[in-house]
Amino acid sequence: MPGKIRVVVVDDSALVRKLLTRMLESDPGIEVVATAPDPYVARDQIKRHDPDVITLDVEMPRMDGLTFLENLMRLRPMPVVMVSSLTHDGAKVTLQALELGAVDFVTKPAQQLSVKLEDYAAEVVSKVKAAARARVSSRETYSGEAREAFRQRVRESLREAGAYEARSTGGRQKVVAIGASTGGTEAIRRVLECLPPNAPPIIISQHIPASFSGPFAERLNGICSLTVREAENGVPLMPGHAYVAPGDYHLRLRRDGARLVCRLDQSATVNRHRPSVDVMFESVAQAAGSESVGVLLTGMGRDGAEGLLQMRKAGASTMVQDEASSTVWGMPGAAVQLGAAEEILGLEAIPARMLALAQGDTARPA
């Protein structure tokens, strides 16, 4: 992007506004053109400065962040990075913000942990830079009629593929592994909420903080026909279930006799992430090999690309989300560069193809 990324920081705390401004402007490619203590001031600053990105506090006086975000995405869609508290309620509200069209989120800076502020600053800078490159739709926020239309189209393709037909108990389903980062909470939701209750077992690694993975799994469980839960150590995979890696834990697949089970650990971060998609995919390649399907969705960086290549070398079916439907085509694009992806598909086409492969369709892409 030519020139500096222009940012407006919106937060009711003067201290947080100052802290975020200092962190963002530590990068020579970013300029904070204005700050605002509430959405009303923010509206005027956005009109005046026409920023590339805004950071938006979830909880503010006069108008809450969700209401402002919904109005903004309807009237003037632009990249938004939410700033959220680490509470359970803060996580639930942030997940709603992502559904309304926010690109990503960061948690509130922990002022008492100054030793970690350098790492926090790096995260804020990288997420704002990714947001500046992200695709923000001016046509829909994937809620209301647009969301229902998407679901109907996907379900029709699933019916055409026979996904809702009863499978014989002797039929062996493959395990599906899904990895994602920026934009991934919504991409995962839009895939899982269309799946039938007889779907194969699914494991998921989404880059997400520890306090957010539980509410994320709860939210998915409430809207999906599948049972969605946080993964637990030693839990065997079951059809009709999806297992989300807890934040700050790697999720690995291990073979325990005839069963495949979840294994969790807090070994070193990989690609600066825990959970890491590479860690999960590489474990799937070893434990399940050709009896698996790897799916890499939208995300910043390269995590998952090498692991997906290992899955493909082990005989697994592999696919990535295409650039047009991705919020950020970093991880899927890196996988394509490595030759890890057998198929590049729009998000709408992924559920039916994923299920077909997991249920035994051996036809390879042309």
Side-chain angles (χ1 to χ4, degrees):
M1 178 177 294
K4 291 188 176 184
I5 297 169
R6 296 159 53 81
V7 180
V8 169
V9 173
V10 187
D11 199 291
D12 66 330
S13 165
L15 180 60
V16 172
R17 292 197 302 273
K18 183 177 180 180
L19 193 59
L20 288 174
T21 297
R22 187 169 74 238
M23 289 176 174
L24 289 169
E25 291 195 330
S26 69
D27 189 286
I30 297 175
E31 177 186 6
V32 176
V33 294
T35 65
D38 64 55
Y40 291 96
V41 177
R43 180 183 58 193
D44 295 336
Q45 298 288 26
I46 290 168
K47 289 178 181 177
R48 181 176 300 124
H49 294 284
D50 191 27
D52 302 303
V53 180
I54 72 169
T55 70
L56 179 61
D57 188 12
V58 169
E59 299 174 353
M60 288 179 295
R62 301 179 69 192
M63 181 190 297
D64 67 86
L66 278 186
T67 301
F68 179 64
L69 176 66
E70 189 168 14
N71 292 336
L72 184 70
M73 298 308 293
R74 185 179 72 251
L75 301 172
R76 193 195 183 286
M78 63 182 301
V80 176
V81 176
M82 303 301 293
V83 181
S84 168
S85 67
L86 272 169
T87 65
H88 187 276
D89 286 344
K92 291 171 67 176
V93 173
T94 302
L95 292 167
Q96 287 180 265
L98 296 171
E99 185 173 331
L100 288 170
V103 172
D104 207 343
F105 69 95
V106 293
T107 55
K108 282 275 189 181
Q111 295 128 11
Q112 72 278 17
L113 300 176
S114 57
V115 68
K116 294 186 177 180
L117 285 181
E118 186 175 341
D119 291 340
Y120 178 82
E123 179 187 9
V124 172
V125 166
S126 66
K127 289 193 172 184
V128 165
K129 285 186 167 182
R133 300 190 300 270
R135 290 165 185 81
V136 178
S137 172
S138 60
R139 294 173 287 108
E140 58 182 346
T141 59
Y142 303 113
S143 59
E145 292 182 4
R147 176 179 177 181
E148 188 55 34
F150 176 89
R151 294 169 68 178
Q152 289 299 329
R153 291 194 301 270
V154 173
R155 285 169 175 166
E156 182 58 34
S157 66
L158 288 169
R159 279 190 288 270
E160 291 174 359
Y164 291 96
E165 297 172 3
R167 301 279 164 171
S168 67
T169 55
R172 187 170 181 178
Q173 292 180 319
K174 299 179 181 180
V175 61
V176 176
I178 300 176
S181 184
T182 314
T185 57
E186 275 307 286
I188 290 168
R189 175 183 68 80
R190 292 168 63 201
V191 170
L192 294 193
E193 71 177 352
C194 296
L195 299 181
N198 65 340
I202 299 169
I203 58 174
I204 299 165
S205 281
Q206 160 74 41
H207 296 161
I208 200 165
S211 58
F212 281 66
S213 53
F216 177 47
E218 289 173 14
R219 187 173 180 82
L220 291 173
N221 190 57
I223 60 177
C224 295
S225 298
L226 300 170
T227 297
V228 184
R229 57 186 289 188
E230 270 194 298
E232 297 177 30
N233 200 44
V235 168
L237 268 58
M238 296 174 57
H241 288 65
Y243 306 84
V244 176
D248 204 32
Y249 282 83
H250 292 307
L251 171 58
R252 304 175 194 265
L253 192 64
R254 291 287 185 258
R255 188 165 289 282
D256 180 12
R259 304 185 307 171
L260 292 170
V261 301
C262 297
R263 292 296 181 195
L264 304 178
D265 69 68
Q266 289 186 301
S267 56
T269 61
V270 174
N271 302 314
R272 299 193 306 168
H273 295 290
R274 189 171 59 214
S276 161
V277 182
D278 267 337
V279 167
M280 180 184 70
F281 280 169
E282 288 168 6
S283 74
V284 173
Q286 295 169 8
S290 61
E291 294 298 308
S292 64
V293 178
V295 183
L296 189 56
L297 303 176
T298 175
M300 173 178 62
R302 301 183 59 85
D303 188 34
E306 181 61 41
L308 195 69
L309 180 61
Q310 296 306 314
M311 286 189 66
R312 186 174 187 182
K313 288 180 177 178
S317 301
T318 61
M319 68 185 72
V320 300
Q321 186 176 352
D322 69 2
E323 186 170 7
S325 66
S326 294
T327 302
V328 177
W329 207 57
M331 289 157 50
V336 171
Q337 288 180 339
L338 284 179
E342 286 185 312
E343 300 181 72
I344 306 170
L345 301 172
L347 188 63
E348 196 170 305
I350 285 175
R353 184 59 178 155
M354 182 181 84
L355 282 189
L357 291 167
Q359 292 174 337
D361 184 349
T362 57
R364 309 311 261 185

